[in-house]
Amino acid sequence: MDPVREKEDRLREAACVGDEDTLCSLLSSGVSVNSQHPINGWSPLHWAVKRGHKNIVSRLLTAGANPALQTIKGEVAAHLSDSADIRSMLGASPEETPRNTEPLPITPNYIANPPFPYVRQEQGPLPTVNGSPAGHRVTMEQAVPQRSVSGGQYYNPATEQELVLKVRVANPMQMENDFIEVELDRSKLTFRDLLATCCRELQVQPEKVQKIRKLPNTMLRKDKDITRLLDFQEIELVLKTTNKPVNPQYVISPSTDGPASFVY
């Protein structure tokens, strides 16, 4: 991948997960704050607003992020948030209501501006209660179980409801084969949901899919495989070909019956 595009992808990912340190480092290195995904048109600001990261939104606006940038569906950042504070930061009119965008595969349910586990909170004694110390503050690393995601980041299972994956159709003959980002509800991670979401977003008929590959070389076959996926995992849909026989053991059935949707 082109190194400039790779850094732009990392900037959008940092805005999405709320990684302020990485975001500031990339902006300082000269990565365009208004870079947009070549397929869906999402910018770092779109992701930060959608995820409700007020600090990230403020950082991006200070760095020159353009709130008037539109996605491929014509959405500006203010269309993606119900937060009055964030919409005010973007200059949206108080009377203006958020646009009813096309529904996502899930219904996000975030706690307002949750702290991320990799952001250290203030330490020290808490105020006294009835003359006795209430305790001591602890870091988020101590308080919340963590799970590593790509790039050494962490998410908090209690507040992060979405799994973000990078998906594309496998095409070894194409020099530039970009990924798009899709979202799944972490509480409902199933093989069927992954297949349906990928096919919908990539405009592929499910019966045309031979298998789903987790890059670089792992085939996804069942629900447990899906629950082990991490944020920004790269996924490919391998389509059936007509010029060579296909091993039926690895063909996804067009039927919705069966836990793994495979024909054996």
Side-chain angles (χ1 to χ4, degrees), residues 190-210:
T190 66
F191 184 92
R192 297 182 201 285
D193 288 337
L194 175 64
L195 176 63
T197 299
C198 291
C199 288
R200 179 174 59 252
E201 295 293 332
L202 294 170
Q203 298 183 354
V204 173
Q205 296 179 357
E207 59 269 21
K208 300 294 185 182
V209 179
Q210 176 184 344

Side-chain angles (χ1 to χ4, degrees), residues 18-35:
D19 187 348
E20 192 167 349
D21 291 340
T22 298
L23 182 121
C24 292
S25 175
L26 289 168
L27 290 175
S28 298
S29 70
V31 180
S32 173
V33 70
N34 289 313
S35 62

Side-chain angles (χ1 to χ4, degrees), residues 235-247:
I235 302 291
E236 283 187 337
L237 297 188
V238 180
L239 304 185
K240 301 174 186 176
T241 58
T242 57
N243 59 353
K244 63 179 181 179
V246 175
N247 186 343

Side-chain angles (χ1 to χ4, degrees), residues 124-137:
L126 292 171
T128 59
V129 177
N130 296 328
S132 300
H136 288 80
R137 294 186 176 93

Side-chain angles (χ1 to χ4, degrees), residues 132-148:
S132 300
H136 288 80
R137 294 186 176 93
V138 296
T139 63
M140 185 60 69
E141 289 88 347
Q142 296 169 328
V144 181
Q146 302 170 357
R147 178 179 174 187
S148 177

Side-chain angles (χ1 to χ4, degrees), residues 154-170:
Y154 295 88
Y155 79 85
N156 177 0
T159 58
E160 283 301 286
Q161 303 299 320
E162 294 172 332
L163 172 68
V164 181
L165 300 175
K166 301 170 72 170
V167 302
R168 69 183 181 186
V169 175

